[in-house]
Amino acid sequence: MEAAVPSRVALSAASRLPNRHAVAGDRSFVYKGRCQSLAIPMALSAAAPGKGGVLDRPVEKTTPGRQSEFDVKKSRKMSPPYRVILHNDNYNRREYVVQVLMKVIPGMTVDNAVNIMQEAHVNGLSVVIVCSQSEAEEHCTSLRGNGLRSSIEPASGGC
């Protein structure tokens, strides 16, 4: 007779639950039997307000002393551009200069590295990259650390 009445089937399945009742948002409740509908546990966990439910808005946590990603991008755009300049020297082979440029400067292609090296060889110096001051200082230090002569200057003056 239980199979003929769907409400009795649900009641008989509910009788197998432990004595503890599920409360909305109670994540410690674990039902170890088979669940006929996967929507029921989801509804129970999402129903409690303030417990990470579907309708809760994400809370933006700000840490003192840290900038948001938007502020960092804005400061990069606002900072004045600097040139990283490669100087010619009589010590390093051309192939080595190309290898160092490709290793130190992100996104540097072989063709660009060869052109920069050749311009520095012929004219005495060449602009490697234009970027923010902190990035320019970092690139210049890396180039010097690999034995190349380099410097930085503001990009706005003397165009």
Side-chain angles (χ1 to χ4, degrees), residues 22-27 39-56:
V23 179
D26 185 11
R27 298 195 193 283
I40 293 172
M42 295 300 223
L44 288 176
S45 67
K51 297 271 188 181
V54 177
L55 299 178
D56 288 345

Side-chain angles (χ1 to χ4, degrees), residues 48-92:
K51 297 271 188 181
V54 177
L55 299 178
D56 288 345
R57 289 188 177 183
V59 178
E60 183 178 336
K61 295 180 182 178
T62 56
T63 306
R66 289 197 159 202
Q67 295 178 339
S68 69
E69 186 176 332
F70 175 75
D71 293 337
V72 171
K73 287 181 181 178
K74 186 177 177 183
S75 68
R76 284 184 190 158
K77 291 178 183 177
M78 304 267 308
S79 63
Y82 275 74
R83 293 186 194 118
V84 178
I85 298 173
L86 175 69
H87 299 270
N88 186 35
D89 61 16
N90 295 327
Y91 307 109
N92 295 305

